[in-house]
């Protein structure tokens, strides 16, 4: 922040804070302007202190309008900003726990470790005075997620993300953070017939992959304990190769599981359907039928694609009798139930 700009920024923060305090009810536009300005320049100690004063002075009800924005800042790289926001949310949680339990539970399922830790800590703080509420929220949240996303889908998405982190970004730790919670989920055991079916189909392979991950973690811990000053460069390189070999072994299994899961996304009945009399949707005309040129469904693709949007619609391919591939979007119900609550 330029020194000549700082007085104006400080006055702006004070002005928005005063406007929030004097308004009844607090105006959303003032709250948004305050946090937008404060977050943007949170790297400056004076401005961050002024933002803290705004958080302390404004009525707690004002922050209920922007809880998603506040919770999102728990994943900030700035420790001081995370602490400031955590303190505010902690006070909000004491007075308005119902406003925070659902979004915080969603946050605990993030792949960002600092975000998860902060969210869990806030839930623990709320639990000290509203234990039953937090327990009921955890029950409802987990079951809503269970019925809105199958284990097949959860694993498929996680494997795609893990693959991107490992192969594209070379982030082994990030990959492990994405996949380990799913392994822990499976250790708790299946609770529905679909989960039992998934465990029977993939449980053994996934347990084997987890063994390779554990082997990598043991090797990584051993390497870190060694005194690198006495480790020859060649030995260090061989150690790195050995550790990556362990991850590659895990990914050989993960890839096999991923391929099988993709095939299971399409109904087995559709997968086995061949040379149907049914026309490819959208291609039928009476003229084609009369001339014998009707384009019928030869077979369905063994896998489907998932569009990365809120409702996660599927893309399915079917092969027509004319040899062409036809693509269709299957719209499904919203799966991110918790985010809408």
């Amino acid at each position: 922040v330029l020194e000549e700009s700082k007085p104006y920024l400080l006055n702006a923060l004070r002005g928005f804070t005063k406007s929030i305090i004097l308004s009844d009810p607090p105006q959303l536009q003032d709250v948004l302007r305050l946090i937008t300005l404060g977050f943007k320049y949170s790297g400056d100690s004076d401005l961050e202190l002024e933002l803290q004063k705004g958080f302390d002075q404004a009525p707690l009800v004002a922050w209920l309008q922007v809880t998603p924005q506040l919770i999102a800042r728990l994943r900030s790289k700035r420790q001081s900003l995370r602490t400031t926001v955590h303190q505010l949310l902690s006070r909000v949680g004491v007075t308005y726990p119902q406003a925070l339990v659902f979004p915080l539970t969603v946050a605990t399922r993030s792949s960002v470790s600092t975000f998860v830790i902060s969210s869990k800590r806030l839930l623990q703080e709320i639990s000290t005075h509203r234990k039953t509420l937090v327990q009921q929220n955890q029950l409802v949240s987990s079951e809503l997620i269970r019925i809105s996303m199958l284990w097949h889908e959860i694993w498929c998405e996680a494997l795609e993300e893990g693959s991107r982190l490992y192969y594209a970004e070379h982030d082994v730790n990030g990959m492990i953070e994405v996949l380990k919670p799913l392994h822990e989920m499976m250790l708790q055991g299946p609770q529905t017939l679909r989960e039992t079916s998934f465990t029977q189909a993939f449980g053994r392979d996934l347990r084997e992959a987890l063994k390779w991950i554990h082997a990598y973690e043991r090797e990584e811990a051993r390497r870190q304990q060694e005194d690198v000053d006495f480790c020859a460069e060649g030995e260090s390189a061989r150690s790195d190769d050995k550790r990556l070999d362990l991850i590659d072994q895990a990914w050989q299994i993960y890839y096999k599981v991923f391929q099988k899961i993709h095939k299971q996304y399409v109904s087995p009945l559709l997968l086995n359907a061949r040379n149907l009399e049914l026309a490819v949707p959208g291609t039928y005309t009476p003229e084609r039928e009369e001339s014998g040129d009707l384009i019928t469904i030869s077979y369905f693709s063994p896998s489907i694609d998932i569009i990365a949007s809120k409702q996660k619609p599927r893309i399915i391919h079917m092969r027509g009798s004319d040899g062409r591939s036809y693509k269709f979007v299957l719209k499904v119900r919203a799966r991110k139930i918790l985010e809408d609550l």
Side-chain angles (χ1 to χ4, degrees):
V1 178
L2 297 176
E3 286 301 319
E4 56 267 27
S5 302
K6 187 179 291 187
Y8 300 103
L9 294 171
L10 289 170
N11 285 330
L13 289 173
R14 292 167 187 150
F16 289 136
T17 300
K18 184 171 292 187
S19 178
I20 294 170
I21 294 172
L22 295 176
S23 300
D24 187 19
Q27 297 300 303
L28 176 60
Q29 61 184 15
D30 293 332
V31 179
L32 287 173
R33 287 169 179 167
L34 174 65
I35 64 174
T36 299
L37 192 62
F39 291 161
K40 183 176 181 180
Y41 297 103
S42 60
D44 183 273
S45 58
D46 294 332
L47 293 171
E48 196 164 297
L49 179 61
E50 197 61 43
L51 177 64
Q52 176 70 65
K53 291 180 180 178
F55 285 168
D56 293 340
Q57 295 171 6
L60 289 177
V61 69
W63 310 114
L64 298 182
Q65 307 173 85
V66 292
T67 51
Q69 291 90 332
L70 293 173
I71 291 174
R73 292 297 167 173
L74 292 174
R75 63 194 304 165
S76 171
K77 294 181 179 179
R78 296 194 183 103
Q79 174 65 46
S80 57
L81 178 59
R82 293 203 306 270
T83 301
T84 298
V85 173
H86 184 104
Q87 291 172 350
L88 172 61
L89 289 173
S90 181
R91 291 190 292 116
V92 172
V94 171
T95 307
Y96 305 105
Q98 295 277 9
L100 292 186
V101 286
F102 267 117
L104 285 175
T105 300
V106 173
T108 62
R109 299 179 180 274
S110 169
S111 60
V112 181
S113 59
T114 53
F115 195 30
V116 172
I117 292 171
S118 297
S119 302
K120 287 184 176 180
R121 189 176 301 153
L122 282 166
L123 284 172
Q124 289 172 355
E125 292 173 6
I126 296 174
S127 180
T128 58
H129 60 279
R130 295 295 299 273
K131 184 176 181 179
T132 301
L133 173 65
V134 173
Q135 289 177 339
Q136 292 175 350
N137 167 71
Q138 290 173 341
L139 171 66
V140 172
S141 299
S142 61
E143 290 308 304
L144 284 175
I145 291 173
R146 183 186 302 280
I147 65 175
S148 65
M149 271 190 99
L150 303 177
W151 278 11
H152 295 72
E153 297 170 302
I154 296 173
W155 268 103
C156 194
E157 291 184 6
L159 289 173
E160 286 181 338
E161 176 65 9
S163 176
R164 181 189 66 81
L165 289 169
Y166 179 53
Y167 290 106
E169 299 188 9
H170 309 293
D171 183 0
V172 178
N173 292 330
M175 177 210 77
I176 293 176
E177 285 184 3
V178 168
L179 297 178
K180 254 198 165 180
L182 273 66
H183 283 292
E184 294 171 358
M185 173 188 72
M186 292 195 65
L187 289 175
Q188 297 174 6
Q191 297 186 24
T192 67
L193 290 176
R194 286 185 178 273
E195 291 172 4
T196 300
S197 174
F198 181 89
T199 302
Q200 291 172 345
F202 306 110
R204 182 176 179 180
D205 286 338
L206 290 173
R207 286 192 297 270
E208 185 66 24
L210 182 60
K211 289 180 181 178
W212 289 110
I213 296 296
H214 286 160
Y216 165 83
E217 291 178 325
R218 288 193 298 270
E219 183 66 21
E220 175 69 9
R222 185 192 64 78
R223 189 188 69 86
Q224 290 180 356
Q225 290 175 0
E226 291 179 348
D227 186 355
V228 295
D229 293 335
F230 294 95
C231 183
E233 183 177 349
E235 292 177 351
S236 177
R238 285 194 296 272
S239 177
D240 289 341
D241 290 342
K242 180 179 179 181
R243 289 182 297 115
L244 293 180
D245 284 344
L246 296 172
I247 295 295
D248 288 338
Q249 290 286 345
W251 269 105
Q252 288 182 21
I253 300 173
Y254 283 140
Y255 182 73
K256 181 173 66 174
V257 170
F258 180 80
Q259 291 293 92
K260 290 181 180 178
I261 290 175
H262 256 271
K263 289 182 179 180
Q264 290 196 9
Y265 267 137
V266 175
S267 162
L269 295 177
L270 292 182
L271 191 61
N272 294 326
R274 291 288 188 276
N275 302 319
L276 306 183
E277 294 182 11
L278 185 65
V280 172
T283 65
Y284 173 81
T285 64
E287 292 77 16
R288 280 181 173 171
E289 186 172 22
E290 291 174 2
S291 64
D293 294 329
L294 189 64
I295 302 173
T296 57
I297 300 172
S298 294
Y299 60 87
F300 290 87
S301 171
S303 64
I304 67 174
D305 300 318
I306 303 175
I307 298 176
S309 64
K310 186 174 183 180
Q311 294 194 7
K312 298 187 182 300
R314 273 68 166 151
I315 296 179
I316 188 171
H317 298 261
M318 58 184 73
R319 182 72 63 175
S321 56
D322 60 350
R324 294 177 56 191
S325 177
Y326 293 85
K327 180 171 66 175
F328 296 90
V329 176
L330 306 177
K331 295 183 179 180
V332 297
R333 60 186 171 83
R335 296 174 183 276
K336 300 293 187 181
I337 294 177
L338 293 180
E339 295 179 1
D340 297 330
L341 293 177

